Amino acid sequence: MKWIKLNRWPFAVILAVVATGALFSCRTGAGSDVASEVYVPPGSLDEFYAFMSGGFSGNITVHGLPSGRLLKTIPVFSQFPENGWGYSEETKPMLQTSWGFIPWDDSHHPELSQTDGVTDGRWVFINGNNTPRVARIDLSLFETEEIIEIPNSAGNHASPFVTENTEYVVASTRFSVPIPQEDMSISEYEGNFQGTISFIKADVPGEMEVAFQLLVPGYNYDLSNPGRKESAGWAFLTSYNTEEAHTLLEVNASQHDKDFIAAVHWRRAEECVAAGAGTVMQADHYHNHMGADRIARSEVKRSVRVLTPADCSELVYFLPTPKSPHGVDVDPSGEYIVAGGKLAAVIPVHSFTKMLQAIENQDYEAEVNGIPVLRYEAILAGEVLEPGLGPLHTEFDGRGNAYTSMFISSEIVKWELGTWQVLDRAPAFYSTGHLMIPGGDSGEPWGKYAVALNKITKDRYLPTGPELAHAAQLYDISGDKMRLLLDFPTMGEPHYAQALPAHIIMDKQVQMFPLEENQNPAATAGEGEARVERRGRNVHVYMTTIRTHFSPDNIEGIQVGDSVYFHVTNLEQDWDVPHGFAMMGAQNAELLIMPGETRTLTWVPTRVGVYPFYCTDFCSALHQEMQGYVRVSPRGSSVPISFSTGG
């Protein structure tokens, strides 16, 4: 044993070290070894997949739990040079919008698909906040397969929350605007700007569409959570700025003691739509989706059906909720509707049963734009008193407990449904926004862990200049007391996350694409079909790649200003053998081609010379030898097209 010479340490330091160790032991459990609880040994696998918002990266990151290890980045709304997403000809259409090609967005809320209110592992959805969009990611591929733009929307924040059987994705506007858009003075906001709540059909891959929209008063609609079990057929959305302020919202949108949760009876909306209610409004928007040939296509939708409360009775009700509510969460039974008022001193919990009784009894405080405002006391199940400062979001463990993030007091607070008593507090570091329990927003949570998604990380990681990593913190919630187990950094700004047990999807992973099923019209089935064809100023290179060469690997006859399309087919039929393709001077990115897949890179040479291309993804011991050359001649040159491999 190596002894420490205590006589060289100040006595105060020794006391501080001992005290710190004792405090840590108290928080984590006496004698516990938290490192072993999050350690996943070599050759072992994590228990959960966690899908985390990439925030301003526009993507999703996938982490393993409990290790916190980053497993994958799934590109969604942002071009991603690692695999050519949004650069290859096959994927560019996924980023088309009515505004043109938009290769970035702000992605906030991953949402896993559900069946009977239980997370099923088919898909994960995520919102684009800046250019309103919703994407579907196929969890057998971990790839974005579909994106739909949302018309009549600005700030698609309360999105994309799925109904109990993923019939719909629910999305609404953070920023109210004139609908339809027009040239109007901003000072005329009150009474003239409006919001929309969109219901997007989502249960059939490749066929997402905006089924209908609800036109609602011009508040800021913040987050959503659909009902389940007892409250199936309803959706709940928070709103703030019921003052309808348009400047200095930090002051002017915080005047009212209560704002609203909007309770939307979407089953009733379906009835009204089926009866022809509402107005079909001109509203161009894009639907982008991957075909069976693995090529994305864009379809322009021209209109959307819009309902108002006057078009459909018994459709929307306002639940008064203190104060500036941010999150709204529904417990696994569907009975309790929990709000997180950013400026509230309590956590209000509404009762779905009492809500229905208040509607039946017409127990209203007021009416706004034809929407009844239910009396607060009539719908209240209870209030969690003195929960902390800045309650935002709540999730559930399936054992009768709720967990709420406290942004200002930087903690997670555990409380009991029904008694509304605070049971435990755990500090977070720092400023927790969302929190996540695997399945914690579904009918059947896996209440083993909670993850705090923190906005500030000073002193948690090695410093990295002005911009610091954001933090996720993993807590064990299996016992009476929460225990902090792990810090791990996340990409972009972490907003929300969702997780599910790995066994639900790990055996459903696509490992390769069978060559015989490759429907890309530019696919090359074997090296014997490799060729180069000139069509005017366009040159098409039909190329194959396999360990460890390209075919062809020498190409001549290309001229300055040609548009050269490299259609590269990966002939491998083995798992985890992608090949890369990069061309010197290309003004886009590399390609990363999965086994059996075809991807296309466009290159326009601007200089005479001989230029290399090569494989970017390590594939074998002779990876470095995977290269080739393209000869570029002057415009109008008589050098003919020629190509070869090995000759």
Side-chain angles (χ1 to χ4, degrees), residues 312-433:
C312 184
S313 62
E314 302 176 336
L315 176 61
V316 185
Y317 299 89
F318 282 149
L319 315 183
T321 303
K323 178 177 186 180
S324 295
H326 182 55
V328 57
D329 301 280
V330 180
D331 86 302
S333 74
E335 168 64 15
Y336 296 124
I337 304 153
V338 181
K342 299 190 294 287
L343 305 178
V346 299
I347 299 174
V349 183
H350 299 309
S351 161
F352 178 71
T353 301
K354 289 187 174 183
M355 185 194 86
L356 293 182
Q357 291 172 348
I359 292 170
E360 183 178 357
N361 297 334
Q362 297 187 2
D363 196 349
Y364 306 152
E365 294 183 352
E367 188 174 280
V368 178
N369 289 27
I371 300 173
V373 179
L374 304 181
R375 188 168 59 87
Y376 180 71
E377 292 76 13
I379 60 176
L380 189 69
E383 294 177 332
V384 181
L385 303 178
E386 299 182 356
L389 300 178
L392 293 184
H393 300 280
T394 299
E395 295 223 338
F396 308 91
D397 64 8
R399 299 186 296 273
N401 302 310
Y403 300 74
T404 300
S405 58
M406 299 290 169
F407 184 81
I408 296 174
S409 53
S410 294
E411 59 184 331
I412 297 175
V413 174
K414 175 182 178 181
W415 51 276
E416 187 175 33
L417 290 164
T419 69
W420 326 122
Q421 298 299 307
V422 172
L423 303 177
D424 190 27
R425 299 176 184 273
F429 306 95
Y430 305 94
S431 298
T432 307

Side-chain angles (χ1 to χ4, degrees), residues 357-523:
Q357 291 172 348
I359 292 170
E360 183 178 357
N361 297 334
Q362 297 187 2
D363 196 349
Y364 306 152
E365 294 183 352
E367 188 174 280
V368 178
N369 289 27
I371 300 173
V373 179
L374 304 181
R375 188 168 59 87
Y376 180 71
E377 292 76 13
I379 60 176
L380 189 69
E383 294 177 332
V384 181
L385 303 178
E386 299 182 356
L389 300 178
L392 293 184
H393 300 280
T394 299
E395 295 223 338
F396 308 91
D397 64 8
R399 299 186 296 273
N401 302 310
Y403 300 74
T404 300
S405 58
M406 299 290 169
F407 184 81
I408 296 174
S409 53
S410 294
E411 59 184 331
I412 297 175
V413 174
K414 175 182 178 181
W415 51 276
E416 187 175 33
L417 290 164
T419 69
W420 326 122
Q421 298 299 307
V422 172
L423 303 177
D424 190 27
R425 299 176 184 273
F429 306 95
Y430 305 94
S431 298
T432 307
H434 277 278
L435 59 79
M436 178 272 285
I437 293 171
D441 76 332
S442 74
E444 293 185 11
W446 295 279
K448 184 173 183 179
Y449 298 118
V451 177
L453 298 163
N454 303 326
K455 301 298 186 184
I456 298 173
T457 61
K458 292 176 182 178
D459 78 21
R460 303 308 291 181
Y461 308 116
L462 291 172
T464 53
E467 183 187 9
L468 302 179
H470 294 280
Q473 294 190 296
L474 180 73
Y475 294 80
D476 177 358
I477 61 169
S478 60
D480 292 337
K481 298 294 183 180
M482 294 176 279
R483 297 186 301 126
L484 176 60
L485 302 179
L486 180 70
D487 288 9
F488 60 96
T490 60
M491 302 301 295
E493 182 184 358
H495 291 275
Y496 187 38
Q498 290 211 321
L500 48 64
H503 69 80
I504 292 178
I505 61 174
M506 63 179 293
D507 294 333
K508 300 176 183 177
Q509 298 306 296
V510 172
Q511 298 182 355
M512 70 196 74
F513 299 101
L515 274 170
E516 64 273 14
E517 297 177 11
N518 187 329
Q519 299 179 38
N520 190 310

Side-chain angles (χ1 to χ4, degrees), residues 75 78-92 95 588-593 599-601:
S78 295
Q79 287 179 301
F80 195 62
E82 181 179 307
N83 63 8
W85 175 259
Y87 293 103
S88 69
E89 297 302 314
E90 289 83 1
T91 60
K92 282 181 182 178
L95 302 180
N588 36 39
E590 66 156 2
L591 298 176
L592 195 62
I593 311 108
R599 283 289 177 258
T600 301
L601 181 141

Side-chain angles (χ1 to χ4, degrees), residues 95-319:
L95 302 180
Q96 290 293 333
T97 76
S98 62
W99 302 93
F101 182 77
I102 305 293
W104 172 83
D105 218 311
D106 183 18
S107 57
H108 281 216
H109 305 120
E111 178 83 352
L112 290 160
S113 57
Q114 296 186 6
T115 299
D116 294 330
V118 179
T119 302
D120 58 27
R122 291 177 293 167
W123 314 305
V124 61
F125 300 90
I126 195 164
N127 62 325
N129 190 35
N130 187 61
T131 303
R133 291 176 275 184
V134 168
R136 180 203 309 271
I137 292 87
D138 183 335
L139 290 183
S140 69
L141 295 166
F142 279 59
E143 292 183 8
T144 303
E145 293 283 292
E146 191 170 8
I147 296 176
I148 190 164
E149 185 181 6
I150 306 174
N152 298 325
S153 180
N156 175 39
H157 190 258
S159 169
F161 299 95
V162 302
T163 55
E164 192 174 38
N165 286 292
T166 319
E167 300 97 336
Y168 296 102
V169 164
V170 182
S172 66
T173 51
R174 174 181 171 186
F175 310 116
S176 290
V177 293
I179 297 175
Q181 278 284 12
E182 60 176 300
D183 181 8
M184 176 184 290
S185 171
I186 299 170
S187 64
E188 298 179 52
Y189 182 114
E190 186 174 358
N192 294 306
F193 285 33
Q194 294 175 296
T196 57
I197 301 173
S198 300
F199 286 78
I200 301 164
K201 282 295 288 182
D203 51 351
V204 180
E207 298 183 14
M208 290 176 72
E209 65 171 345
V210 182
F212 55 89
Q213 293 183 312
L214 311 182
L215 202 61
V216 286
Y219 309 149
N220 292 53
Y221 296 86
D222 204 3
L223 280 172
S224 177
N225 217 286
R228 56 184 58 93
K229 296 181 181 176
E230 295 297 325
S231 51
W234 290 77
F236 304 94
L237 302 96
T238 52
S239 66
Y240 62 98
N241 191 25
T242 53
E243 297 85 353
E244 296 188 74
H246 61 272
T247 184
L248 285 178
L249 264 62
E250 62 192 82
V251 174
N252 295 321
S254 303
Q255 300 300 306
H256 293 167
D257 288 336
K258 294 183 179 68
D259 293 285
F260 298 136
I261 290 174
V264 178
H265 192 188
W266 59 262
R267 291 287 190 197
R268 172 62 180 153
E270 287 183 323
E271 295 173 354
C272 292
V273 168
T279 302
V280 176
M281 182 181 293
Q282 179 73 25
D284 288 359
H285 57 289
Y286 271 69
H287 174 226
N288 309 321
H289 61 95
M290 282 286 179
D293 54 7
R294 307 264 307 140
I295 298 174
R297 291 168 176 81
S298 295
E299 175 188 7
V300 182
K301 304 281 189 177
R302 298 296 184 186
S303 62
V304 65
R305 182 171 291 275
V306 178
L307 294 174
T308 68
D311 297 323
C312 184
S313 62
E314 302 176 336
L315 176 61
V316 185
Y317 299 89
F318 282 149
L319 315 183

